[in-house]
Amino acid sequence: MFKKLIFTVVLFIAFTCQSHAQSLDNLKAINYTVWLKFYKAFKTLDYTLMEQIHSKDLVRISGGKNISDFESYINNYKARFNSDKENNISYNISLRFFERINNDSVASERGIYKLMINPNSADPQIYYGQFHVILKKENGEWKIVMDYDSTENNTIDSKAYNKAYGISETDKFTEN
């Protein structure tokens, strides 16, 4: 009986340590393969980067009001980014997180985004919102399968944004 208890405890510790290492590896992979492309898509107005990081099975809930699929979502970005290029509109978007949960095949990430329109102008427009993204591995690559955002009735602001953790603060979401 005692040997079974010791064996169970050892297995529990081994799997717990392994899951934390996988979590950190997954966070780094998601940052690199998804979020850096997301940032670059806004900076370069390249909708094809948005195509690369989203699943063809995407469910997109925008502003807590509209639901769209992959094709509609990407076509919207294609039109928007092309129009923005013609009108010399630029963006800077950044994400901060208050929850990042994952295993080797699925991840749930929640946080606050800050979108600046024409950030280098004298009067940039700044918008904040809360997001919740579900990612799954498809053929070994992380893809966004569900993307929800909302201003939460305009209650999301710089204070909420600053309370959340930066994209590189992965240690806040893993146990050391």
Side-chain angles (χ1 to χ4, degrees):
M1 179 68 174
F2 183 71
K3 286 181 182 180
K4 286 183 181 179
L5 178 63
I6 296 292
F7 180 72
T8 303
V9 169
V10 168
L11 277 179
F12 177 76
I13 291 170
F15 284 117
T16 301
C17 291
Q18 182 181 6
S19 71
H20 293 308
Q22 292 169 348
S23 178
L24 180 58
D25 290 344
N26 289 335
L27 289 175
K28 288 178 180 179
I30 291 166
N31 284 352
Y32 182 74
T33 62
V34 176
W35 298 128
L36 291 181
K37 285 183 183 179
F38 182 77
Y39 285 171
K40 188 174 181 182
F42 276 88
K43 185 175 181 88
T44 62
L45 302 176
D46 183 354
Y47 77 92
T48 65
L49 292 170
M50 297 297 271
E51 282 181 314
Q52 292 173 26
I53 64 173
H54 289 86
S55 170
K56 301 277 191 238
D57 297 326
L58 175 70
V59 176
R60 168 72 171 129
I61 302 104
S62 178
K65 297 177 183 173
N66 302 311
I67 297 177
S68 59
D69 61 9
F70 174 84
E71 189 174 328
S72 301
Y73 182 65
I74 296 304
N75 285 337
N76 180 43
Y77 268 105
K78 182 178 181 179
R80 178 177 170 189
F81 284 172
N82 286 337
S83 173
D84 293 340
K85 285 178 188 176
E86 290 174 12
N87 294 302
N88 293 317
I89 295 174
S90 61
Y91 296 97
N92 185 3
I93 192 163
S94 62
L95 306 175
R96 294 181 65 82
F97 300 87
F98 54 79
E99 180 181 279
R100 299 186 85 179
I101 303 168
N102 65 67
N103 62 32
D104 282 338
S105 61
V106 171
S108 172
E109 302 209 338
R110 297 176 37 202
I112 309 295
Y113 68 84
K114 176 182 179 180
L115 176 66
M116 295 178 68
I117 301 175
N118 295 324
N120 298 320
S121 69
D123 189 27
Q125 296 172 322
I126 301 173
Y127 299 94
Y128 294 93
Q130 185 168 302
F131 68 88
H132 184 185
V133 173
I134 303 292
L135 303 104
K136 285 188 177 182
K137 272 195 179 172
E138 294 181 357
N139 299 318
E141 291 185 37
W142 288 102
K143 301 281 184 174
I144 298 170
V145 295
M146 191 279 301
D147 182 357
Y148 176 95
D149 76 77
S150 173
T151 64
E152 302 296 309
N153 295 316
N154 294 316
T155 60
I156 306 301
D157 57 14
S158 61
K159 289 180 186 173
Y161 176 81
N162 290 327
K163 275 187 189 177
Y165 298 104
I167 194 166
S168 62
E169 294 181 88
T170 52
D171 61 317
K172 303 297 182 190
F173 302 100
T174 59
E175 291 184 24
N176 296 324

